Amino acid sequence: MERIDWNSTGWEELAPYAGRVRLPGWDCTTGLVVGDGAALLIDTGSSLREGSRLRADTRKLLGAHARVTHVALTHPHFDHVLGTAAFSGVGVYGAVGLDTVLAHGADELCADAVRNGLPAREAASATEILVAPRHQVSGELTLDLGGGRQVLLANIGPAHSGHDLVVLVPGPREIVFCGDLVEESGEPQAGPDAAPHHWPAALDRLLELGGEDALYVPGHGSAVNAAFVREQRATLAARFGVS
């Protein structure tokens, strides 16, 4: 595989085979992991417009090397899932139960997007054709992207939401896409679907998966190290009164 020019679309290179972009508006991270002829996109943005931008970016990045064949949704919040329909024909993965949340909670998802500033027409158009995961992850699942590139999807919620999925990318330095289990650009948000008393334990599991030397990629903000995750775990434990 030829080297990917991540900077050509404003993406941040995490490794030669993995990168991410921080989308405008809600500073939401989308990740990309590339194998031989296949690629995994992690989260799809807050609207069809953002999903279409991501589709164009990934086509430019991948060229003839590969295409996006898999999408992993880290949790069911609008800024992470509403662009999924822009990637028709790919395999969509999520934690067990995420399909039910998206299938039966579209009205609330739309309302939440509008409350947070997404134009009502964009929110409605995205939720009308919302794509729910067909592939349910219970425990852990390994995806083979070809060329020796494998990724691990791990269901470690509930915590930030009722259906939290993380993506571990093995390599010389492990990369962990954390979704909103970890946030760097602001305080972790615990909405009505959060399970705050389980959140510290989920971060313990996250640290077990990634290890001390991994690069942890939050759902919002700059990439961090294990020490940052431990500090956020301690903050959440104190905030919610759990050990």
Side-chain angles (χ1 to χ4, degrees):
M1 185 181 73
E2 296 179 18
R3 186 174 182 87
I4 297 170
D5 181 8
W6 295 99
N7 291 330
S8 66
T9 55
W11 285 52
E12 174 188 354
E13 180 177 329
L14 305 173
Y17 46 82
R20 66 89 174 252
V21 66
R22 293 168 65 172
L23 299 170
W26 294 275
D27 189 27
C28 179
T29 282
T30 290
L32 183 68
V33 185
V34 183
D36 185 4
L40 168 70
L41 189 77
I42 302 151
D43 288 339
T44 60
S46 64
S47 66
L48 292 173
R49 175 171 46 84
E50 281 197 336
S52 295
R53 172 200 160 176
L54 290 168
R55 183 182 61 192
D57 280 0
T58 56
R59 285 177 174 173
K60 183 175 181 180
L61 286 167
L62 298 174
H65 312 319
R67 63 183 182 90
V68 172
T69 49
H70 306 75
V71 164
L73 301 176
T74 62
H75 63 289
H77 293 166
F78 81 93
D79 49 334
H80 295 259
V81 303
L82 287 188
T84 308
F87 292 89
S88 60
V90 308
V92 181
Y93 294 75
V96 165
L98 182 63
D99 60 333
T100 301
V101 172
L102 296 183
H104 298 289
D107 289 345
E108 174 52 33
L109 193 66
C110 181
D112 186 48
V114 173
R115 283 194 298 269
N116 281 278
L118 188 68
R121 181 174 295 180
E122 287 196 58
S125 63
T127 52
E128 283 171 3
I129 57 172
L130 189 62
V131 176
R134 294 185 61 188
H135 303 280
Q136 309 296 305
V137 181
S138 175
E140 298 176 358
L141 175 69
T142 299
L143 294 179
D144 188 347
L145 301 180
R149 181 64 50 207
Q150 294 185 328
V151 297
L152 179 73
L153 309 184
N155 178 348
I156 66 171
H160 170 73
S161 75
H163 306 85
D164 293 303
L165 186 77
V166 300
V167 179
L168 171 68
V169 186
R173 185 184 188 187
E174 277 74 16
I175 301 168
V176 186
F177 290 93
C178 308
D180 286 2
L181 288 168
V182 179
E183 295 193 41
E184 185 276 335
S185 56
E187 291 296 318
Q189 300 299 304
D193 62 340
H197 289 84
H198 295 277
W199 201 334
L203 292 183
D204 289 339
R205 177 63 182 139
L206 187 73
L207 288 164
E208 288 175 5
L209 285 169
E212 186 63 27
D213 298 325
L215 182 70
Y216 294 88
V217 183
H220 302 266
S222 301
V224 300
N225 58 19
F228 181 95
V229 178
R230 282 196 300 273
E231 182 177 348
Q232 194 154 99
R233 188 244 188 250
T235 299
L236 288 167
R239 176 177 165 187
F240 298 124
V242 295
S243 58

